[in-house]
Amino acid sequence: MLNGLHDIDWTQLHHAYGTAEEVPELLAALASTDEEERGKALDRYYSALFHQGSVYPATTASLPFLFELVDDPATPGRAAIVELLTGIGHESAACEDHGYTDADHSDALALLRRRSDVLVRFATDDTGSRLLRQAAIPALGLLVEDTVRAAAVLRGRLPAEPGVVERLLLVETMATLALRRTEAVPDAAAWLTALAGDAALDPTTRLAALVHRARCTEPDPQDVPAAIDLLRQEPAPAGEWWASPAPAGPKPPIEPGSAPGYVIAAFAELDRHAAVHSPTTRLLRAFHEVLDSRVPERTALLAEQLCSPDPGARLDALRMTAELVKSWRGEHGSLIALAAGRLADPHPEVVAEAAAVLNACHVIAGPAREALAALVAAQRAEHGPQVWASPEPHRRRAHQEAVLALAQLGDERALPGLLTALDTGDDAWRAVQVARHLPTATVELAPRLAGLLRGFDLSREWIEREVRSAVGALGVLGDAAVLPALTEALDAAVREEQWGIVESALRALQRLGPAAVPALPRIRALAHGPEAKVRPVALGALRAVGGDAAEVLPSLLELLDTDSPFGLFEVVDLLGGIGPAAAAALPRLRELLTNGYDWVRVHCAAALWDIGGAPEAAAVLDALLPAWENNSATGGHVTACLERMGAAAAPAVPLLRAQLELPQRGGRFGSIEEDEKLQRQCRTLLARLDPDGQSPVTEGARQNG
């Protein structure tokens, strides 16, 4: 086996990390009878020779040997190698489909197509393993150059295939073939339509045919009702869960204590996002992608999914619910209510996911408040305060997510859980993140946050995010009693040159305002010091704490008159806050309205209005409105300025109405919180500027559009 492997000078070939002399050893290890050795070799192959979908000369040179391995029945784990080959084919075909001229992908694709008969054989072998068939079937839509032959194989294989997973793959692969080869669309669509209507077929295969026909053509108005009907016909799952094979590729373990809690949590969330618990999940994800902005139809489909008798389907549906609600505007109350209902689900993992969804959507999760509070209270009553750090992972996650959701709703019933976290140190970083939402509990929270802040060693690696989070929470809570802790943190951050923490501490002092007067010498030293990253923020703190605009104005004008964009937004906003007294900045602000960066124009236009007032209105609107149209993330800043402009903002009415009609969420980061705030601002402005919806500006825009 692997004849000629050492005839290649692998040192002259490259992969993601350099020369490829390790490849012979990797290929030999893929044939090992030791499962752990094979797994490590496969992980390394994905990492080095197929790094994030990239293909290298060494990758193409290794392909004949991979085919030799899979063609030998004695090779263990052949399905994983076939999956690798198909994955390389998928990425290489995608490059071809998008017109990328990548020689490495092209060479790999050509070789894979020359050897595609091997994969066709595996995909149609009744005597082979199911895993091998599952891995090979997608290759029929990617690597068989004869479209007619590939379609015929897929059609012929479906009646002979007893496994539902394989049948779903066959149907999906037909759609893949049609989407890649437009000449195959009519026949593929006709076949899929016939399958969807075939009452003799199982409902899951019919659902797959319906979804993939919609992918190939266009969704029909009756597709969602038909899909719901097919979901209701599906038999209850035979086992507790339906588990898919783990996704291929490297997955380095992260041991507790080896990284900050938030890093470990982020990787755990990635694993959860990649997991699949129902055989219809991938299929329904594809359907939601096809339905796209059809929010009412997607809502109806998700409502059915969330009520499925299959706990795995309910779990996956909760994640799809979060994706819909976070991305699209609409009437989401029914989905929030259904997610709240899942807090009483008999399966702990479903409960945990429901709590996580409501936390992620906390801005609109008000209707779930009582259900969240009931879950938190019941868990504390049954398991005690330490349920926050329960050794049972799903219970722990459910409790923490529910507490965080309540806190972000401003509900003090979250306070006992947060205090437990801060007092014990167990996942305290989670409590810190939401403490700012409970200002009425400042007396309990502020001293604990200050104690936590004092316990941080600012010389440690990975410490910045946790410190900045604690400092930020203290600033929002606004308790002057924590001033010593903040100034100690500021001093330590300066010593360690942790400038991000310095900025956060200065912003917290800025929020405290005159109560932070004892810190003025420190602030003043930084405001006039050499550290460019810190000066604009320090000047803002100096203005808020010292109250003397005249002291900071010369420095702000100096920083404004620079070609460097660093800190410019901070400087411009401070000048706007000073108002007419900063009139010396007007010429430079007008110059900056021609800057090529939307954000620069938005901040400068807002400051121009705040300083120059009504005479600048036309220039301000000429900068704000196009920037908002070009970059939806600027919406919150634009509407904030429009609110200050009063009646002078009337020309913005058509754009305000147009923004409210957009189906996708907007505002900075496109988050639920920013978008809901943006919508409120737009409605408030319209109620003031055009209460009857009949302004001449609006009517003219309608006639022109």
Side-chain angles (χ1 to χ4, degrees):
M1 189 185 293
L2 303 180
N3 294 324
L5 179 62
H6 296 286
D7 294 339
I8 296 173
D9 186 356
W10 295 96
T11 64
Q12 298 302 306
L13 300 176
H14 289 74
H15 57 43
Y17 302 111
T19 56
E21 56 266 22
E22 66 180 305
V23 171
E25 183 180 347
L26 287 181
L27 293 171
L30 289 174
S32 172
T33 56
D34 185 321
E35 184 176 356
E36 183 177 357
E37 183 180 358
R38 291 199 311 275
K40 289 180 179 178
L42 190 64
D43 285 351
R44 179 59 182 173
Y45 191 105
Y46 271 98
S47 176
L49 285 94
F50 191 34
H51 182 72
Q52 297 179 355
S54 296
V55 170
Y56 308 89
T59 314
T60 302
S62 72
L63 293 179
F65 303 105
L66 293 178
F67 273 103
E68 188 175 346
L69 287 171
V70 299
D71 219 13
D72 185 347
T75 301
R78 289 192 294 166
I81 302 175
V82 171
E83 186 176 3
L84 171 60
L85 289 167
T86 304
I88 295 171
H90 178 272
E91 293 297 330
S92 300
C95 287
E96 179 184 69
D97 294 343
H98 290 92
Y100 299 151
T101 54
D102 183 317
D104 292 328
H105 281 99
S106 296
D107 291 346
L109 185 59
L111 192 152
L112 288 164
R113 284 177 171 162
R114 289 197 300 271
R115 302 289 188 96
S116 62
D117 280 348
V118 174
L119 301 176
V120 172
R121 173 159 45 87
F122 289 146
T124 57
D125 184 4
D126 288 319
T127 64
S129 83
R130 289 186 60 189
L131 290 178
L132 202 54
R133 289 206 302 280
Q134 290 175 20
I137 286 170
L140 300 177
L142 299 166
L143 303 177
V144 179
E145 292 191 271
D146 186 337
T147 303
V148 174
R149 179 194 175 210
V153 171
L154 291 167
R155 284 194 301 268
R157 180 64 205 165
L158 188 72
E161 185 54 70
V164 65
V165 176
E166 293 81 2
R167 290 198 297 274
L168 295 183
L169 284 169
L170 289 164
V171 172
E172 180 182 1
T173 301
M174 180 67 86
T176 300
L177 181 67
L179 289 168
R180 293 192 61 248
R181 306 286 180 84
T182 55
E183 70 272 14
V185 170
D187 289 343
W191 183 64
L192 293 169
T193 300
L195 291 179
D198 188 349
L201 279 175
D202 64 280
T204 304
T205 302
R206 293 176 62 193
L207 178 64
L210 183 152
V211 169
H212 290 300
R213 193 274 309 151
R215 286 181 65 214
C216 292
T217 55
E218 281 290 328
D220 184 274
Q222 294 305 309
D223 281 349
V224 170
I228 290 172
D229 183 57
L230 289 168
L231 286 172
R232 290 173 179 171
Q233 294 178 40
E234 287 189 327
E240 185 71 8
W241 300 98
W242 182 89
S244 67
K251 185 176 153 186
I254 299 184
E255 297 295 333
S258 63
Y262 65 86
V263 174
I264 295 172
F267 275 91
E269 182 58 29
L270 285 174
D271 287 344
R272 280 190 290 269
H273 186 75
V276 174
H277 300 91
S278 167
T280 58
T281 292
R282 285 185 66 238
L283 183 59
L284 290 168
R285 281 192 182 281
F287 199 16
H288 281 285
E289 289 176 9
V290 171
L291 292 171
D292 196 37
S293 62
R294 296 172 173 86
V295 173
E297 292 164 275
R298 293 181 65 181
T299 298
L301 182 61
L302 279 168
E304 185 65 29
Q305 293 174 241
L306 288 166
C307 297
S308 170
D310 178 1
R314 297 197 298 273
L315 176 60
D316 293 341
L318 282 163
R319 293 177 185 152
M320 294 184 216
T321 296
E323 291 164 8
L324 174 69
V325 172
K326 287 192 286 188
S327 300
W328 298 94
R329 296 170 175 173
E331 296 297 328
H332 297 309
S334 61
L335 290 178
I336 293 296
L338 286 169
R342 296 274 66 88
L343 293 174
D345 199 278
H347 291 79
E349 191 170 355
V350 176
V351 175
E353 193 62 37
V357 167
L358 293 169
N359 181 30
C361 305
H362 65 271
V363 178
I364 58 173
R369 181 192 298 264
E370 295 307 317
L372 287 163
L375 175 65
V376 168
Q379 288 182 324
R380 286 180 67 88
E382 183 176 356
H383 304 288
Q386 295 308 312
V387 67
W388 172 270
S390 171
E392 201 290 305
H394 301 316
R395 182 183 300 132
R396 178 188 188 121
R397 181 172 179 241
H399 186 77
Q400 291 188 1
E401 296 286 356
V403 167
L404 300 182
L406 276 178
Q408 293 188 97
L409 287 168
D411 194 313
E412 285 202 15
R413 286 174 288 186
L415 185 59
L418 301 185
L419 298 182
T420 296
L422 294 171
D423 288 341
T424 63
D426 291 318
D427 290 336
W429 63 275
R430 291 188 185 273
V432 172
Q433 286 183 329
V434 301
R436 67 185 64 206
H437 296 279
L438 290 176
T440 56
T442 296
V443 172
E444 292 93 344
L445 290 170
R448 289 172 168 87
L449 289 167
L452 186 68
L453 182 59
R454 284 192 165 107
F456 287 126
D457 177 2
L458 269 61
S459 66
R460 278 178 44 214
E461 190 180 12
W462 298 93
I463 199 67
E464 179 176 337
R465 176 170 166 175
E466 292 181 80
V467 178
R468 294 185 73 170
S469 185
V471 167
L474 286 171
V476 173
L477 292 175
D479 185 353
V482 303
L483 180 61
L486 287 174
T487 54
E488 289 169 20
L490 177 62
D491 291 341
V494 171
R495 283 195 306 273
E496 297 293 336
E497 297 185 350
Q498 291 268 21
W499 303 118
I501 296 174
V502 171
E503 286 185 30
S504 293
L506 288 168
R507 293 187 196 283
L509 294 172
Q510 183 175 346
R511 282 180 173 273
L512 290 180
V517 164
L520 266 178
R522 295 175 174 86
I523 297 171
R524 190 170 280 118
L526 291 166
H528 301 296
E531 185 53 49
K533 295 180 180 179
V534 169
R535 283 189 68 198
V537 185
L539 287 166
L542 184 58
R543 167 84 167 92
V545 177
D548 185 0
E551 181 179 2
V552 301
L553 186 56
S555 295
L556 291 174
L557 293 172
E558 176 191 342
L559 291 172
L560 182 65
D561 194 27
T562 177
D563 294 330
S564 171
F566 187 82
L568 183 62
F569 300 162
E570 194 94 31
V571 171
V572 168
D573 292 348
L574 285 170
L575 288 166
I578 291 173
L586 289 174
R588 176 60 175 159
L589 290 172
R590 294 187 192 108
E591 287 178 14
L592 289 169
L593 291 185
T594 63
N595 189 280
Y597 187 28
D598 295 324
W599 281 104
V600 170
R601 298 197 304 278
V602 166
H603 280 270
C604 290
L608 192 62
W609 171 263
D610 294 331
I611 298 169
E616 306 291 345
V620 169
L621 291 173
D622 284 347
L624 290 180
L625 303 187
W628 188 9
E629 288 185 284
N630 187 54
N631 184 351
S632 65
T634 63
H637 285 73
V638 172
T639 51
C641 182
L642 294 176
E643 284 179 335
R644 299 195 297 274
M645 292 178 72
V653 165
L655 182 56
L656 291 167
R657 293 196 182 283
Q659 289 291 324
L660 283 175
E661 292 171 1
L662 294 176
Q664 284 186 292
R665 294 202 179 274
R668 198 170 188 186
F669 310 121
S671 68
I672 298 177
E673 185 170 11
E674 290 293 328
D675 181 66
E676 292 292 319
K677 179 181 175 182
L678 179 63
Q679 291 184 69
R680 288 194 300 272
Q681 289 173 318
C682 288
R683 293 189 183 101
T684 299
L685 283 163
L686 285 170
R688 182 193 307 158
L689 298 171
D690 191 19
D692 300 321
Q694 297 294 323
S695 74
V697 172
T698 306
E699 284 304 302
R702 286 178 185 146
Q703 292 166 14
N704 292 331

